[in-house]
Amino acid sequence: MKNILITGGAGFIGSNLALQLISKGHTVTVFDNLSPQIHGENAKETSPLFLSIKDKVKFIEGSVTEVERWKEALIGQDVVVHLAAETGTGQSMYEVQKYVDVNINGTALLLDLLVNTQHQVKKVVVASSRSIYGEGKYISKELGAVYPSHRSAEYMDKGEFEVQYPGSTALQLVGTDEDSKIHPSSVYGITKQNQEQMIMTVCPTLGISAVAFRYQNVYGPGQSLKNPYTGILSIFSTQIKNGNGINIFEDGKESRDFVFIDDVVAATILGIEKEEANNQVFNVGTGEATDVLTVANGLIKNYGIEVPITVSGNYRLGDIRHNYADLSKINNLLGFVPSVSFEEGLKHFTDWVNTQEVQEDQYQKSIDEMKAKGLYK
């Protein structure tokens, strides 16, 4: 049994992970700033995520940018699971300093303390992201495996949303493996790349095992329905529950790998407990691509609430077209196989949303912010 610190442990992934680790006999400390963007105001009284772990973990309130809170949190810990991060891809493009301060500098503080102070940490698990890849992996009939560059505004203004590659005919999308090119298309993706690289570079030099999980799009019961900046299923659900129409970007065929929270927690626990995970990087997903139009229609069907869907051709600079995970490595080394299909997971998610209070739809606010910065077209 281990003493495990989870940064961001009151968040969606962190709280679910904490409860599973406790059930397995581990002792959990949670270090979290209870961000109003995720938890709303008065989080200690009203946030379901925080309340789910209250009195079950040692809780330290603070930011990963505060070195004294880090010092307090690291006392007596065997394992650090570093989930704390600012997470909105679009928002990262205009709140650059905040994303760098929290995601990169917060991680640097952790590593400084591991290098320069006494502790008993033996493993660090970091939440990386599929966003570090940028566009996914494709096969060209002429060129073999290729990694297309970010799409330009000039290109997408013409309604041409599928990626292209110089010297190639139409491309075939394939699963992105861990050896694929890393070329993030957002500040968020850049900061996650930095987090991963710092952890995977520094920890082994200290004799500390390091594990990085490149999570795909995580969803499920407990996901914040208040945050208008990230989580397409929760954003669409709040819109539907308010009777508002859904604006689908591009042509609706852009796709992601949506992975259920229980599978993400299971994979993360394998990384904590298995020595085979040490000093390795893993994708965590379902290995299947689902397009955004399918997501919207599935939510409307499950809720039984008819709202208009507009496929508008609008787009956000920094968004990718496609990405889904190749799971060969995590399957071979850790024995991980996702257990929840998207259809099954969507049912679990919408059943849970039906038990929740309807939140105010603040999505237009996030779009207006991007418009004002010239990032929404």
Side-chain angles (χ1 to χ4, degrees):
M1 299 305 106
K2 296 179 174 66
N3 295 325
I4 300 175
L5 170 66
I6 308 176
T7 73
F12 174 43
I13 298 174
S15 58
N16 279 276
L17 176 63
L19 293 173
Q20 282 298 310
L21 289 171
I22 291 166
S23 75
K24 292 172 71 69
H26 300 296
T27 300
V28 175
T29 299
V30 164
F31 176 21
D32 199 293
N33 70 344
L34 298 179
S35 166
Q37 184 167 302
I38 297 167
H39 297 275
E41 303 299 330
N42 304 313
K44 288 184 176 179
E45 286 76 43
T46 63
S47 169
L49 292 172
F50 174 76
L51 293 174
S52 72
I53 59 168
K54 184 181 178 183
D55 301 325
K56 299 174 184 174
V57 302
K58 177 183 177 182
F59 181 70
I60 297 172
E61 184 173 1
S63 168
V64 291
T65 61
E66 300 174 274
V67 68
E68 293 304 318
R69 295 287 75 75
W70 265 120
K71 289 178 180 177
E72 179 185 357
L74 286 170
I75 294 171
Q77 304 300 339
D78 302 308
V79 177
V80 178
V81 182
H82 187 32
L83 304 179
E86 298 290 342
T87 57
T89 303
Q91 187 183 42
S92 76
M93 300 292 281
Y94 58 89
E95 294 198 13
V96 179
Q97 183 174 349
K98 179 170 81 170
Y99 275 72
V100 170
D101 283 347
V102 173
N103 297 2
I104 297 177
N105 294 340
T107 304
L109 284 179
L110 164 63
L111 292 172
D112 262 346
L113 291 170
L114 294 180
V115 172
N116 296 306
T117 66
Q118 293 294 314
H119 60 82
Q120 64 185 52
V121 175
K122 301 174 185 67
K123 181 176 281 193
V124 176
V125 177
V126 63
S128 187
S129 168
R130 61 95 187 149
S131 66
I132 74 170
Y133 293 119
E135 279 294 342
K137 181 178 181 180
Y138 296 79
I139 299 298
S140 159
K141 185 171 66 175
E142 294 81 8
L143 305 171
V146 296
Y147 303 94
S149 299
H150 318 143
R151 299 169 297 163
S152 68
E154 179 183 9
Y155 179 63
M156 290 191 285
D157 281 342
K158 301 173 184 175
E160 298 177 5
F161 299 116
E162 289 293 351
V163 296
Q164 298 178 5
Y165 198 85
S168 175
T169 52
L171 302 173
Q172 176 193 353
L173 177 68
V174 294
T176 304
D177 57 73
E178 291 86 351
D179 292 326
S180 295
K181 182 177 179 179
I182 292 174
H183 58 146
S185 60
S186 67
V187 171
Y188 171 68
I190 291 167
T191 65
K192 297 305 286 185
Q193 177 188 358
N194 270 264
Q195 277 189 315
E196 177 187 306
Q197 289 179 325
M198 287 194 293
I199 295 291
M200 300 305 294
T201 299
V202 175
C203 287
T205 70
L206 306 173
I208 298 172
S209 300
V211 185
F213 286 114
R214 295 172 181 170
Y215 298 133
Q216 295 281 327
N217 290 59
V218 186
Y219 74 98
Q223 189 168 0
S224 175
L225 299 173
K226 297 180 172 72
N227 189 349
Y229 297 98
T230 187
I232 186 174
L233 277 83
S234 58
I235 290 169
F236 283 176
S237 293
T238 297
Q239 290 178 303
I240 293 166
K241 286 290 190 174
N242 278 276
N244 297 332
I246 297 175
N247 175 27
I248 302 288
F249 294 164
E250 302 182 19
D251 58 3
K253 295 300 182 183
E254 60 275 22
S255 66
R256 301 291 186 270
D257 185 335
F258 294 96
V259 57
F260 194 67
I261 181 63
D262 292 1
D263 284 329
V264 169
V265 168
T268 306
I269 290 175
L270 289 173
I272 293 169
E273 295 185 343
K274 280 184 169 281
E275 290 191 5
E276 292 89 339
N278 294 356
N279 305 319
Q280 299 290 335
V281 174
F282 299 100
N283 287 332
V284 180
T286 62
E288 296 181 1
T290 303
D291 68 57
V292 173
L293 203 50
T294 297
V295 172
N297 283 320
L299 288 169
I300 288 171
K301 177 185 175 183
N302 283 10
Y303 292 128
I305 301 172
E306 289 297 327
V307 298
I309 293 178
T310 303
V311 180
S312 64
N314 294 131
Y315 61 87
R316 299 185 306 182
L317 290 171
D319 276 355
I320 63 162
R321 180 63 173 174
H322 301 295
N323 193 318
Y324 75 95
D326 182 319
L327 301 179
S328 301
K329 183 177 180 181
I330 193 169
N331 176 251
N332 291 335
L333 284 183
L334 302 186
F336 172 77
V337 178
S339 62
V340 182
S341 68
F342 181 67
E343 184 177 352
E344 181 186 354
L346 196 68
K347 183 68 164 59
H348 288 314
F349 174 71
T350 53
D351 284 350
W352 169 77
V353 172
N354 282 334
T355 70
Q356 302 299 301
E357 182 181 345
V358 176
Q359 300 296 321
E360 179 185 356
D361 182 1
Q362 300 187 65
Y363 186 57
Q364 190 57 45
K365 173 191 169 190
S366 71
I367 294 298
D368 290 343
E369 289 175 2
M370 294 200 73
K371 278 183 180 176
K373 307 298 181 183
L375 297 166
Y376 176 85
K377 306 289 186 180

